[in-house]
Amino acid sequence: MKQPPVIVVQLFHIKGPVPLSGKESGFYGASISIGRHPSCHLRFSADLTHVSRKHAEIIREGNQFKLIDQSANGTFVNGKKVKEVFLKDGDVLMFGEGGPQVSFLTQMEEGLIEKEPPPATPIREYEREIRMEPPLPPKRPPEEKPQQVSPVRPETPEVSVQSAKAPLIIQYGPTIRSFKQLPITIGKGPKCEYPLDHPALSEQHAQVFFSENQYWVKDLTGQKLVRINRQPIGFQAPLRSNDELALSPQGPLFRFFGEGRLGEIEEVPEEKPLESSEKTGAVAEKKSISSKFKKIFKS
């Protein structure tokens, strides 16, 4: 008898304590307990007072998942306080007002056979880092002045865009969207599979597709606005793990984490070289703000 597919619940930690912030936790099973108690599957530290010892539970009902609040401080879904609610992909959960936030997503795993874990045993299937350190500004040749126009990436042979079953997860701000069929079009237009309200984007701005066992991005603007690692791609280019993908010079900016995952990152502006007369005064200023930058990068 064919076993039903396992549905993995993926919780992306978009705001919270440093050990969890920027990570993705995956769970399977009939229920997922959340709180500060040692028996909870998703456990927060004891000093996180926004979260109750047994704060909430996510229960599987068929192919749906219901969130049940069990806390004193409340559980919020997309900013609304709830007691019980069925979750949908992309929902943002907040545990206590001003508490940690996660984004909810489900993934079908047809190759696994579901087994009930023993009592009080974490059912965490994986936990992986999805947050990357901000990239360093590129070094400029000392003998040359910075170019006003970024060089175009080397041309790659044109690859035909065809329909393919391939997963794609895009995190932008507090929301996450999941796709199982490519290609998808990104832009401001309502006909795009992934509409994105950003002033620098065109109606149909870019296309992400899967071909030759890798992910590709295609510039639909005809103006060489889409960039990978700060270089215009021209027409289309493959996406490799850890690539920076800018949909335009003004953003939005993503990092490709591999395995069909795009996550928004903040752009680090390039520092202009200081004149010799400015260097002395800048040293003291840099020292005074260095600790602030360290806090920002760690948060």
Side-chain angles (χ1 to χ4, degrees), residues 37 63 83 112 117 123 148 150 174 176 184-185 189 201 230 234 257 265 289:
H37 194 273
N63 287 340
K83 292 303 292 183
L112 299 176
I123 53 176
Q148 298 298 321
S150 299
I176 293 179
I184 65 155
T185 302
L201 299 188
R230 303 178 183 240
F257 297 103
I265 59 175
I289 64 174

Side-chain angles (χ1 to χ4, degrees), residues 222-276:
Q223 303 176 40
K224 298 182 179 180
L225 296 181
V226 179
R227 302 181 176 200
I228 293 180
N229 300 328
R230 303 178 183 240
Q231 295 184 5
I233 64 170
F235 180 63
Q236 64 183 21
L239 285 168
R240 299 181 176 88
S241 183
N242 211 32
D243 273 350
E244 266 187 25
L245 172 63
L247 296 184
S248 79
Q250 294 78 39
L253 184 66
F254 297 88
R255 187 178 298 282
F256 183 67
F257 297 103
E259 301 179 4
R261 297 175 183 273
L262 281 171
E264 184 192 15
I265 59 175
E266 292 185 2
E267 185 170 7
V268 179
E270 292 188 33
E271 294 184 359
K272 296 181 179 180
L274 297 175
E275 299 292 336
S276 57

Side-chain angles (χ1 to χ4, degrees), residues 59-102:
I59 298 176
R60 179 174 176 178
E61 294 187 3
N63 287 340
Q64 291 184 299
F65 290 86
K66 179 190 287 186
L67 173 72
I68 301 175
D69 174 61
Q70 303 169 336
S71 70
N73 296 328
T75 303
F76 300 79
V77 176
N78 301 327
K80 183 179 179 181
K81 192 174 184 179
V82 300
K83 292 303 292 183
E84 289 188 10
V85 67
F86 282 102
L87 299 172
K88 60 183 182 298
D89 284 356
D91 280 347
V92 175
L93 284 56
M94 181 170 65
F95 306 111
E97 190 168 359
Q101 297 180 25
V102 301

Side-chain angles (χ1 to χ4, degrees), residues 42-149:
L42 177 57
R43 180 185 174 189
F44 291 98
S45 60
D47 60 347
L48 203 62
T49 56
H50 294 85
V51 182
S52 300
R53 287 173 60 80
K54 292 190 176 181
H55 195 100
E57 189 172 16
I58 298 175
I59 298 176
R60 179 174 176 178
E61 294 187 3
N63 287 340
Q64 291 184 299
F65 290 86
K66 179 190 287 186
L67 173 72
I68 301 175
D69 174 61
Q70 303 169 336
S71 70
N73 296 328
T75 303
F76 300 79
V77 176
N78 301 327
K80 183 179 179 181
K81 192 174 184 179
V82 300
K83 292 303 292 183
E84 289 188 10
V85 67
F86 282 102
L87 299 172
K88 60 183 182 298
D89 284 356
D91 280 347
V92 175
L93 284 56
M94 181 170 65
F95 306 111
E97 190 168 359
Q101 297 180 25
V102 301
S103 187
F104 173 86
L105 195 68
T106 57
Q107 185 73 33
M108 198 81 73
E109 298 287 349
E110 298 182 357
L112 299 176
I113 298 176
E114 188 167 7
K115 296 180 180 179
E116 188 67 23
T121 299
I123 53 176
R124 181 175 295 153
E125 185 180 66
Y126 57 79
E127 184 179 90
R128 56 184 166 189
E129 184 73 29
I130 61 172
R131 180 180 179 182
M132 306 295 292
E133 288 296 325
L136 294 175
K139 295 182 179 179
R140 296 169 175 168
E143 69 279 359
E144 295 180 4
K145 293 183 179 180
Q147 295 183 358
Q148 298 298 321
V149 180

